[in-house]
Amino acid sequence: MKTRIINAPDMVKAMNRQKEETKFDVLRPLHFKELEPVIKNKHFFIKTYGCQANVRDEETMRGMLENIGCTSVNDPKDADIIIINTCAVRENAEDKVYGEIGNLKYLRKKNKNLILAICGCMVEEPEILNRVLDTYREVNLFFGTHEIPMLYDLLYEVITTKDRIVAIESKQGEVVEELPASRLNNYKAYVNIIYGCNKFCTYCIVPYTRGKERSRKFDEVLKECKQLVDAGYQEITLLGQNVNAYGKDLDEGKDFADLMEAVAKLGIPRLRFTTSHPWDFSSKMIDVIAKYPNIMKFIHLPVQSGNDEVLRKMGRRYNREQYLALVKEMREKIPGLSLSTDIIVGFPNETREEFEDTLSLVDIVKYEAAFTFIYSPRKGTPAAKMDDNVPYEEKSRRFQELVKHLEVHIEEHSKSMVGKVYDVLVDGESKNNKEMMSGYTEENKLVHFPSKSSLIGKIVKVRITESHTYSLIGELVDE
Ligand code: 5AD
Ligand code: SF4
């Protein structure tokens, strides 16, 4: 099997941020007509790792495949096309993907016509791509985050030439509208508002894999949200690596606060957004969140570290004092606000004192939820070239210590909810107890309660009866 490289990733190109205007395009498959008869009635299986942007990408790929007559299957053994949609943000995300390819590669030995594809962030990193190309000869299609709109053409190439195709272009990227979507949930939806990231935090691979910050047009976002409201959706999450950089690359004179307000006015019962960068968070945004009851009083505000020197080395563009001032303004203006965050421990050369600044910040902010990570060097990023004198065992100890600190506040918050009644959007059967249903409160707390499956997708009132650190138990309240 010949390996044909249409485009290969290039970290230097991936860093390019020229001040050119965002380009817009629509889906223009070259080979839809020729491909359709060949691919019709075929079965596909997609496995997604990583963030919500990847989940939304899966929905686009599903939409494209279904539009050409393919159907989704739950077992990869039944599939003619397998797509592994990958994440590169930390090494453990990468390791899971290696495990998955290892599990699936035997299927290609059995079926020579099987298309086994890897897409997404992992293969955008040249060294990782080369490793996968060498180690997993069974994988016969590789494409990046920018090539999803070319999926029909790539499948056509693999099917007609039987070559192994690599199409991963490192570029700033454009906004492609009119892509189909087959949504994975019929009451909660993600809506992309901005793609890419220009922040280049020194530890992070995302700006290299997803291109520059480029916003969708205001009216396009509103059109999609309106369709979701009309279809009876209960919750919309506005999505972007940095949602609150929305509009900066367009000359529409609109920012994220304007967009959020316009979507809230469409009447969706729950509006969320993720992820917001503290540097781009304006007072105007805080005022809009405070004003509209259907904008959830929950903000995910990654801090990464509580120490100024570490924040500077991370390239985060704010210091501890500025972050705390922002939190103070949010807490003052938005009663009942829940804050969550991302924190990295063990950044290169992080000292014990610097780490303690993170602990003390956690004690001041008293987050209601948090995601914690041990720093994972990503090839090609500036931090990966920094000296690091902190042994992994020490990083691991700091990680445990941080989790304990966070849990004190999270537990305190959960306890304070006992006895009170909350609106819960019902998701489905509880994972560990089939007798219970589960769902999320407006402040994003997970609640389990005895109920019927007929309530899935509905917002119900639940009284909290018991609190655990990461979840709550409750009972339905008759209205
Ligand atoms: N190592 C550890 N954590 C990372 N994150 C991003 N890059 C890395 C890395 N190299 C974390 C950040 C970010 C979240 C999505 O993942 O905390 O906010
Ligand atoms: Fe990565 Fe920083 Fe961009 Fe977030 S803001 S995606 S952490 S570079």
Side-chain angles (χ1 to χ4, degrees), residues 379-423:
K379 281 246 162 59
T381 61
K385 298 183 194 90
M386 294 177 188
D387 286 337
D388 189 0
N389 61 10
V390 191
Y392 191 81
E393 300 69 47
E394 174 58 20
K395 294 187 188 209
S396 194
R397 272 196 297 275
R398 288 182 195 173
F399 178 84
Q400 301 299 340
E401 205 176 331
L402 173 65
V403 170
K404 274 198 198 130
H405 261 252
L406 286 158
E407 283 181 349
V408 172
H409 305 296
I410 296 170
E411 268 167 32
E412 204 172 293
H413 178 243
S414 296
K415 266 193 201 135
S416 75
M417 294 174 77
V418 175
K420 297 184 189 141
V421 174
Y422 292 86
D423 282 347

Side-chain angles (χ1 to χ4, degrees), residues 160-176:
T160 53
T161 66
K162 304 246 185 274
D163 286 349
R164 200 180 186 214
I165 303 284
V166 179
I168 304 160
E169 189 178 3
S170 297
K171 58 177 183 175
Q172 306 204 81
E174 56 283 314
V175 172
V176 182

Side-chain angles (χ1 to χ4, degrees), residues 163-298:
D163 286 349
R164 200 180 186 214
I165 303 284
V166 179
I168 304 160
E169 189 178 3
S170 297
K171 58 177 183 175
Q172 306 204 81
E174 56 283 314
V175 172
V176 182
E177 289 296 350
E178 298 173 28
L179 288 173
S182 171
R183 295 195 183 267
L184 292 158
N185 188 308
N186 58 11
Y187 54 90
K188 294 206 287 201
Y190 293 125
V191 173
N192 282 316
I193 63 164
I194 180 167
Y195 301 97
C197 179
N198 288 352
K199 297 289 183 289
F200 287 101
C201 300
T202 55
Y203 51 81
C204 186
I205 193 84
V206 170
Y208 305 84
T209 66
R210 289 205 168 261
K212 72 162 184 174
E213 282 172 5
R214 49 210 194 277
S215 306
R216 289 178 69 197
K217 288 189 177 143
F218 196 80
D219 289 344
E220 289 290 340
V221 176
L222 281 191
K223 192 167 88 186
E224 186 175 339
C225 292
K226 175 83 171 58
Q227 282 164 357
L228 292 164
V229 173
D230 292 346
Y233 273 76
Q234 297 293 306
E235 182 174 294
I236 289 177
T237 302
L238 303 177
L239 208 59
Q241 305 301 335
N242 280 304
V243 275
N244 49 351
Y246 176 81
K248 293 187 178 180
D249 56 314
L250 302 180
D251 56 5
E252 294 193 310
K254 301 276 209 281
D255 61 17
F256 179 58
D258 298 323
L259 183 67
M260 209 171 18
E261 180 161 35
V263 178
K265 281 184 178 162
L266 293 174
I268 186 82
R270 288 182 168 201
L271 178 58
R272 299 185 186 277
F273 55 92
T274 200
T275 295
S276 43
H277 192 293
W279 192 74
D280 287 311
F281 224 111
S282 65
S283 296
K284 184 176 163 192
M285 288 170 200
I286 301 178
D287 294 339
V288 169
I289 298 167
K291 184 171 167 194
Y292 290 87
N294 59 343
I295 302 182
M296 298 299 94
K297 307 302 177 244
F298 172 81

